[in-house]
Amino acid sequence: MLNKKIRLLYLFLILTLFSTLPIFSQGDSLDNSRTILLEEALLLGIQNNRQLKMVTVDATIANENVAQAKIAKAPRIALNGGYTYIGNPKLYEGFYENSITVDYFNHQAFANIITSMPIYNGSLINRKIEQQKILSQMQESAVKMTQAEVKNAITTYYFTLEKLYKQIEVTKQNIINTDLRIKQLKSRVENGQNLKSDLLRTELQQSNFKVSVFKNTNDIELVSNYLDVLIGIPTNTILKPQIDKSGVPFEEIKLQESISQAFQNREEIKRAEIGIELSESTLNISKSGFSPSINANLILNTEYPAQWPNYVNIINYWAAGISLNWDVSSFYNIKHRIKGDKLQIEKSNVALDAAKNQIESEVKTAFVKYEESKRNIATYKKDVELSLSNYKIVKSRYDNDFALISDMVDAELQLNNSKISLVNANLDLIIQYYSLQFAMGKL
């Protein structure tokens, strides 16, 4: 009898503890949720995502750098001019004893046009232009890679939201069922057909369900916030997924085909290949240091006065010529830079192999998770069927006073858990499908 009283007191304390928690219905914070399709979320993400905007600007800057590098081929023109007022100078004898003022011509002006055009520089300009084009390609690849990462994050959060809403839906139905049973138990307790502990156990079960709804509601707000940031809408917007009835177009996928497609599509491999080209371009630019640079020059000049103070004339003249610049010391100095560039090429090749290994590992992981999710659905469907059959049997026995309330609670919890597991499995399959598409470079 003492042990029964202790268990009853313990049950009552737990029920009291859960009853003091802030329990909110789903409608309290989710009534103003905004329904959104996956296609709409992806489009908003591409348009508004800040990280994607930054890499897009970087790509635009890289294109401008290409245009800037091409300017080196054009002639350079400089305009110079000046005017000077010169005061009459004084000539002193001795230590500032006597002075003679010289009648100087006070005004002096000049103007000239200087132009220079490169003729030969060991293809240095062309190689720098090609290097800027390679850097531009790398930035464009970064845009595509970031776009795929944003899409993958959006799909994961999107279907995680749907998972939470489905869990609330299942749990709320259980709350309705326990409400009915509590009403029945109260009547049965008053008539002496059930113990007070049976009623307390059922109320405790209902409190657990409400706590689960409360936690899921909070998780919806958090995940919605993450998704809001990704797609660039106000962060206080609660989102509710609207799944297309046609569902996700699942397809039969084989592992080796997945790896082959990933090697063809993933931007990480393309960036690694561009990195090799960039290293080779840097080596070619370094080798250009062995060559001389030859420029054509043209000068147009005018001066007033040409010579003074004897006479005031204007002199105009032009000059044309060729200049040669050859850094002979580079023959010794550049060889170390070239050696470093060759080592960088080797490093870039290693980086390409590492990228392939990493992508192959990602594809295998995503493929295994995808296949595992497909098998889990069949297992959890069977679990729901068995749990439902067990629940019906226990309920029938309980209604006929052949089972305890604890048996009824356990059966209901088992059924609830199996339904939630099935909901999670169905949505995990969708999440893993998109993860595999991302790993294959098709998202």
Side-chain angles (χ1 to χ4, degrees):
M1 289 295 294
L2 183 60
N3 289 336
K4 288 182 179 179
K5 290 181 179 180
I6 292 175
R7 285 200 298 269
L8 182 60
L9 178 60
Y10 178 72
L11 188 60
F12 176 76
L13 290 174
I14 293 177
L15 180 59
T16 303
L17 174 64
F18 278 107
S19 64
T20 60
L21 290 174
I23 306 298
F24 301 100
S25 66
Q26 183 182 0
D28 288 338
S29 57
L30 305 182
D31 280 344
N32 297 323
S33 60
R34 169 183 171 180
T35 58
I36 186 170
L37 292 169
L38 178 60
E39 292 76 12
E40 181 185 359
L42 293 173
L43 181 60
L44 287 172
I46 293 173
Q47 292 175 347
N48 302 328
N49 185 263
R50 292 181 177 86
Q51 184 179 1
L52 188 55
K53 284 182 178 180
M54 287 191 291
V55 294
T56 302
V57 171
D58 289 338
T60 305
I61 293 173
N63 289 330
E64 292 296 327
N65 290 337
V66 173
Q68 178 66 30
K70 291 180 179 179
I71 294 177
K73 284 187 172 182
R76 296 185 178 182
I77 300 175
L79 302 177
N80 297 313
Y83 165 81
T84 304
Y85 179 87
I86 302 176
N88 292 332
K90 290 186 177 182
L91 298 177
Y92 288 93
E93 295 180 357
F95 189 74
Y96 294 99
E97 295 175 357
N98 298 314
S99 64
I100 302 173
T101 300
V102 179
D103 186 14
Y104 239 51
F105 192 76
N106 303 112
H107 305 281
Q108 182 185 19
F110 76 94
N112 57 53
I113 301 175
I114 302 173
T115 179
S116 175
M117 182 174 180
I119 298 176
Y120 175 78
N121 53 13
S123 300
L124 177 63
I125 295 177
N126 290 332
R127 288 172 178 174
K128 286 187 175 181
I129 293 173
E130 289 301 319
Q131 186 178 64
Q132 289 299 327
K133 289 181 178 179
I134 293 172
L135 290 171
S136 178
Q137 292 176 6
M138 183 166 288
Q139 289 300 328
E140 290 173 359
S141 179
V143 172
K144 294 178 182 178
M145 188 168 65
T146 305
Q147 182 173 315
E149 291 173 350
V150 168
K151 285 183 176 180
N152 186 46
I154 289 173
T155 53
T156 300
Y157 285 130
Y158 184 86
F159 290 106
T160 299
L161 271 180
E162 178 66 11
K163 185 189 297 186
L164 293 169
Y165 276 105
K166 290 294 184 182
Q167 290 177 8
I168 288 177
E169 183 180 326
V170 171
T171 308
K172 281 175 68 67
Q173 184 59 47
N174 289 328
I175 292 175
I176 294 173
N177 295 338
T178 52
D179 272 336
L180 295 175
R181 192 161 68 249
I182 287 172
K183 292 178 181 178
Q184 295 174 353
L185 280 171
K186 286 180 179 179
S187 176
R188 292 168 68 94
V189 169
E190 291 176 358
N191 296 328
Q193 294 175 282
N194 281 86
L195 297 174
K196 181 68 173 179
S197 60
D198 295 339
L199 176 60
L200 292 175
R201 186 185 293 271
T202 306
E203 289 176 341
L204 176 60
Q205 181 190 21
Q206 187 186 64
S207 296
N208 289 331
F209 287 148
K210 289 181 179 180
V211 169
S212 178
V213 171
F214 174 65
K215 289 181 178 179
N216 287 338
T217 302
N218 288 339
D219 289 339
I220 285 174
E221 294 180 3
L222 292 175
V223 176
S224 290
N225 183 74
Y226 298 147
L227 192 53
D228 292 341
V229 173
L230 278 174
I231 65 179
I233 63 175
T235 54
N236 59 347
T237 306
I238 305 298
L239 298 175
K240 180 175 175 57
Q242 184 177 346
I243 307 297
D244 189 0
K245 293 182 180 179
S246 59
V248 179
F250 296 114
E251 54 187 291
E252 191 65 30
I253 302 174
K254 296 182 179 179
L255 179 58
Q256 291 304 320
E257 292 179 0
S258 302
I259 295 174
S260 299
Q261 291 187 31
F263 286 165
Q264 293 175 2
N265 301 329
R266 286 288 291 268
E267 291 297 326
E268 288 85 344
I269 291 181
K270 295 179 182 179
R271 282 175 60 84
E273 292 172 347
I274 293 173
I276 295 175
E277 293 182 22
L278 183 61
S279 299
E280 292 173 347
S281 174
T282 302
L283 174 61
N284 292 331
I285 290 175
S286 297
K287 288 181 177 179
S288 298
F290 290 121
S291 303
S293 61
I294 301 175
N295 297 308
N297 305 306
L298 176 64
I299 300 175
L300 300 176
N301 186 77
T302 182
E303 294 180 10
Y304 174 84
Q307 184 178 354
W308 47 270
N310 295 334
Y311 55 87
V312 178
N313 288 327
I314 297 175
I315 182 170
N316 292 336
Y317 71 90
W318 65 272
I322 295 177
S323 62
L324 171 67
N325 181 26
W326 201 347
D327 186 5
V328 180
S329 63
S330 64
F331 292 1
Y332 174 78
N333 297 332
I334 294 179
K335 67 177 184 179
H336 298 290
R337 191 193 314 165
I338 290 175
K339 185 176 181 181
D341 293 338
K342 289 180 179 179
L343 292 173
Q344 184 63 41
I345 293 175
E346 294 180 10
K347 180 181 176 181
S348 299
N349 281 291
V350 173
L352 175 60
D353 294 335
K356 288 182 178 180
N357 291 337
Q358 178 65 26
I359 288 172
E360 183 176 0
S361 177
E362 291 178 6
V363 172
K364 287 181 178 179
T365 301
F367 181 84
V368 169
K369 293 294 183 182
Y370 176 65
E371 293 296 323
E372 180 182 303
S373 297
K374 289 197 293 187
R375 291 185 176 89
N376 286 343
I377 290 177
T379 301
Y380 288 126
K381 280 182 178 178
K382 187 65 175 178
D383 288 348
V384 170
E385 293 175 3
L386 295 174
S387 300
L388 183 59
S389 297
N390 180 63
Y391 172 77
K392 290 178 179 179
I393 293 172
V394 173
K395 187 176 185 307
S396 176
R397 294 184 62 193
Y398 175 76
D399 291 340
N400 292 284
D401 296 329
F402 289 111
L404 300 174
I405 189 66
S406 59
D407 298 328
M408 188 68 185
V409 169
D410 291 340
E412 194 165 52
L413 287 174
Q414 188 177 27
L415 179 59
N416 179 73
N417 292 336
S418 61
K419 285 181 178 180
I420 290 178
S421 296
L422 180 59
V423 167
N424 292 342
N426 283 314
L427 290 166
D428 282 339
L429 176 62
I430 300 175
I431 292 173
Q432 294 303 327
Y433 171 79
Y434 281 106
S435 296
L436 181 56
Q437 294 296 303
F438 170 74
M440 293 166 61
K442 296 174 66 177
L443 189 59

